[in-house]
Amino acid sequence: MRAGEPLPPLEIPVTRTLIVAGAIASRDYQDVHHDAELARQKGAPDIFMNILTTNGLVGRYVTDHFGPAAVLRKVAIRLGTPNHPGDTMVLTGSVEEVDGDTAVVRVVGANKTGTHVTGTVTVTLPAGEAAR
Amino acid sequence: MSDEQAHDELGERLKEFAGRPAAVAGRGKDPVNAPMIRHWCEALGDTNPAYTGPDAVAPPTMLQAWTMGGLTGHQGRTGAYDELLGLLDASGCTSVVATDCEQEYLRPLRPGDEVVFDTVIEEVSARKTTRLGTGYFVTTRTEVRVDGEPVGIHRFRILKYAPAPRGPRTPRPRPVVNRDNAGFWQGVAEHRLLIQRCTACGTLRHPWLPGCNACGGPDWDTVEASGEGTVHSYVVMHHPPFPAFTAPEEGAAGPYAVGLIELAEGVRMVSNVVGVPYDKVRIGLPVRLVFRRYDEDLTLPVFEAVDR
Ligand SMILES: [Zn+2]
């Protein structure tokens, strides 16, 4: 693990099921995340992914790459354009800095309309794996 | 009272919420538990083995989920937070969208952990206009504890906003036609792009001016531009969005390119570059004049990318 090292991209098909299941699994019952009609009344073209799901997917992207022994320390994200049903979000990332067993990974998730999420994830690896 | 004064007054009231508690000793509705962890992992497609089995920990990014009020509402929420949201609702900022989430995980959460949390309103922004509408960003900071021990910190930012009206398409602003440029607009009406020429020294000029920059001569005639040109320079307008300036095929209010076009005759003019995605516009891009009709009363000279 060294600074500049890219993570392989991860494609997330943004289905209606993912949006609704993610919202409910995070106990977020805001109607814009499950009710298309009410979402449209509020100015959105359709339901859209809630921030907790995006946050979870960003965390998953990093632990998928570094393995089950990796421990998330911080996840900080900012949302841009929404994730709607039918979108594909492509997560990309790279190791921004390494300090001993801890790395900061910069993550970007983009869909066809632009950048859905940007953020940084701080992750700690067990000593043996960090040295790889 | 003017609208602006009313907004300023609201802004001042909103700022006073900074530092006030939004939740005191709120309790998670359920202890950290395996079924909710499993539902989360299923929904997100997370197959990390750390989240299953007898030694399972909860996905750290579930931190906020353990504090959510769900359908029956939040516990431990203070009057201050409801008052803040109420003021925003009353001002027309009835919609909400989350924009930022920053979480710090101090130790893993395990099934059985009972979560308690305190939330403080950290900041209420000044009034902002965004693509969604106009409103205020509200930032809160939540400390999550288990048995009195801090386990995580969660900073969250929402935008409370009045949705931008989605009525009929905003028309483009009308050109300001005056004595000095009337000839230019007359030309546009005839689908001719006319460049002014000083009759004393022959210098071409654009935009139209009452006198010659080279010799000061007041007299002029015109030369019709051939329509050939190149992009001399350009900017891409991302924000704030101006739906009126976006071509319909490019979406409601997406970014658009404004070019400084160098005409073959040597003068430059500012116009839209069309027929090419905004992010494909480059210095030196060959373009050709077209007259585009934007609505019943407005046709404008713009420049289309060409293969040359
Ligand atoms: Zn002159």
Side-chain angles (χ1 to χ4, degrees):
Chain A
M1 177 174 71
R2 51 174 67 94
E5 184 183 312
L7 275 63
L10 175 64
E11 269 192 22
I12 306 278
V14 181
T15 60
R16 199 168 288 277
T17 302
L18 170 59
I19 293 170
V20 174
I24 302 311
S26 56
R27 295 183 49 70
D28 183 347
Y29 292 88
Q30 295 277 340
D31 48 33
V32 290
H33 306 310
H34 64 261
D35 188 325
E37 200 174 317
L38 293 179
R40 277 192 281 272
Q41 278 176 23
K42 292 185 175 168
D46 201 338
I47 62 167
F48 54 92
M49 184 177 282
N50 72 337
I51 193 167
L52 289 86
T53 300
T54 301
N55 197 51
L57 290 170
V58 168
R60 178 195 144 191
Y61 176 53
V62 171
T63 50
D64 274 4
H65 177 69
F66 289 106
V71 176
L72 297 177
R73 300 296 179 188
K74 284 183 198 168
V75 175
I77 61 167
R78 168 162 293 183
L79 294 192
T81 186
N83 264 344
H84 289 297
D87 286 344
T88 298
M89 176 170 69
V90 180
L91 289 162
T92 52
S94 62
V95 177
E96 194 169 67
E97 53 183 82
V98 178
D99 182 7
D101 60 356
T102 301
V104 177
V105 181
R106 179 160 291 279
V107 176
V108 175
N111 61 31
K112 67 175 184 297
T113 50
T115 303
H116 168 66
V117 60
T118 54
T120 55
V121 177
T122 308
V123 61
T124 305
L125 303 183
E129 301 201 19
R132 267 194 319 182
Chain B
M1 186 164 38
S2 77
D3 267 10
E4 276 312 308
Q5 281 170 325
H7 292 317
D8 289 349
E9 196 164 292
L10 175 64
E12 286 311 308
R13 283 181 75 187
L14 295 174
K15 277 197 178 25
E16 287 166 14
F17 282 86
R20 292 176 70 182
V24 176
R27 302 191 76 83
K29 292 209 162 174
D30 298 287
V32 175
N33 64 85
M36 280 174 62
I37 294 173
R38 187 169 56 77
H39 291 163
W40 170 281
C41 291
E42 280 183 5
L44 271 60
D46 197 330
T47 56
N48 191 334
Y51 307 146
T52 57
D55 297 324
V57 297
T61 50
M62 279 187 83
L63 183 66
Q64 188 185 2
W66 306 116
T67 70
M68 294 290 277
L71 282 174
T72 47
H74 286 272
Q75 292 169 343
R77 196 180 256 192
T78 64
Y81 197 67
D82 289 335
E83 198 187 323
L84 171 59
L85 297 189
L87 273 176
L88 288 165
D89 282 334
S91 78
C93 297
T94 49
S95 292
V96 64
V97 67
T99 60
D100 295 78
C101 173
E102 296 170 29
Q103 298 183 332
E104 191 170 346
Y105 316 112
L106 305 174
R107 76 135 165 96
L109 287 168
R110 294 194 160 77
D113 283 341
E114 298 201 19
V115 156
V116 176
F117 57 96
D118 291 309
T119 303
V120 171
I121 301 165
E122 230 178 26
E123 193 189 350
V124 183
S125 76
R127 193 162 177 268
K128 305 276 186 191
T129 295
T130 73
R131 184 154 80 166
L132 292 167
T134 297
Y136 299 83
F137 289 94
V138 178
T139 309
T140 54
R141 183 180 190 274
T142 300
E143 278 184 27
V144 183
R145 298 186 304 277
V146 172
D147 295 330
E149 177 202 357
V151 295
I153 296 163
H154 170 58
R155 182 177 280 115
F156 201 64
R157 189 168 297 129
I158 60 167
L159 172 66
K160 264 297 261 180
Y161 66 99
R166 290 161 65 84
R169 197 176 160 75
T170 326
R172 282 207 172 211
R174 306 291 105 171
V176 177
V177 182
N178 58 35
R179 201 172 67 179
D180 294 327
N181 67 12
F184 172 79
W185 291 107
Q186 183 57 42
V188 169
E190 297 160 8
H191 287 203
R192 298 165 69 218
L193 182 63
L194 298 180
I195 304 167
Q196 255 182 328
R197 177 171 57 190
C198 173
T199 47
C201 73
T203 303
L204 298 178
R205 63 180 188 257
H206 189 89
W208 283 38
L209 291 167
C212 174
N213 278 334
C215 74
D219 299 321
W220 53 270
D221 61 5
T222 59
V223 177
E224 184 176 350
S226 69
E228 303 299 319
T230 53
V231 173
H232 179 75
S233 184
Y234 67 95
V235 292
V236 174
M237 272 301 293
H238 288 269
H239 194 85
F242 292 112
F245 285 92
T246 308
E249 69 272 17
E250 287 154 6
Y256 61 92
V258 180
L260 179 62
I261 309 300
E262 179 150 304
L263 300 179
E265 291 76 13
V267 297
R268 295 174 190 155
M269 72 177 282
V270 173
S271 181
N272 283 112
V273 182
V274 302
V276 58
Y278 67 87
D279 57 353
K280 296 286 183 278
V281 175
R282 292 288 178 271
I283 288 173
L285 182 76
V287 291
R288 184 172 297 138
L289 172 69
V290 289
F291 286 89
R292 190 177 263 202
R293 188 164 187 253
Y294 285 92
D295 57 53
E296 257 173 50
D297 308 314
L298 188 66
T299 295
L300 293 173
V302 296
F303 289 85
E304 200 167 54
V306 288
D307 294 321
R308 206 183 286 154

